Amino acid sequence: MKKTLRITGAALAGAVALAMTAGSALAYDGTNCKAPGNCWEPKPGYPEKVAGSKYDPKHDPKELAKQSESIKEMEARNAKRSAHFKETGKWVYDVSKL
C-alpha cells in the first residue's frame, strides 16, 4: 500500500511539474519577433533609451575597472609562476617566495 502511494505521489508531482512547464512554454505565441529567434520585447512603459532613465544602473567606472585590473594582475602572477617553473621545474603558488 505504501509503495503504491509513493509511486502515485511521484507520478502526480511529475504531472504537475510537466503541466507548469508546458503552460509557460505555450504562453508566448511568437507573433512579435523582430527577426527569427529575436522575440524579446520590453514591458509596457520601458523606455527606448535606458541611459538617464530610472532603469539606468549608473555603474561607477572605477568599480567596473576593478575586474580588468585584477585579471591583469593575475596574468602577471601566472607569468612569473610559469617562468619560474620553466627555469627550476618546481611550481610555486606564492609569488612572494619567487
Side-chain angles (χ1 to χ4, degrees):
M1 179 70 177
K2 287 185 180 181
K3 188 174 185 180
T4 306
L5 287 175
R6 286 184 189 162
I7 293 172
T8 305
L12 182 61
V16 169
L18 181 63
M20 291 177 73
T21 56
S24 64
L26 298 175
Y28 184 72
D29 61 356
T31 58
N32 296 320
C33 296
K34 294 179 183 176
N38 183 10
C39 297
W40 181 84
E41 290 182 345
K43 290 184 177 181
Y46 195 81
E48 288 290 324
K49 187 176 176 186
V50 176
S53 71
K54 70 177 186 177
Y55 298 99
D56 189 2
K58 299 177 181 74
H59 293 300
D60 184 13
K62 292 178 186 176
E63 290 292 322
L64 293 176
K66 282 183 180 180
Q67 184 176 6
S68 62
E69 290 172 11
S70 67
I71 290 172
K72 288 177 187 175
E73 292 169 359
M74 176 192 66
E75 289 173 348
R77 288 191 305 271
N78 286 340
K80 288 180 184 178
R81 289 180 184 124
S82 62
H84 178 73
F85 179 74
K86 288 177 184 176
E87 292 173 7
T88 64
K90 293 184 179 181
W91 185 261
V92 179
Y93 284 100
D94 192 1
V95 179
S96 63
K97 295 180 180 179
L98 298 180

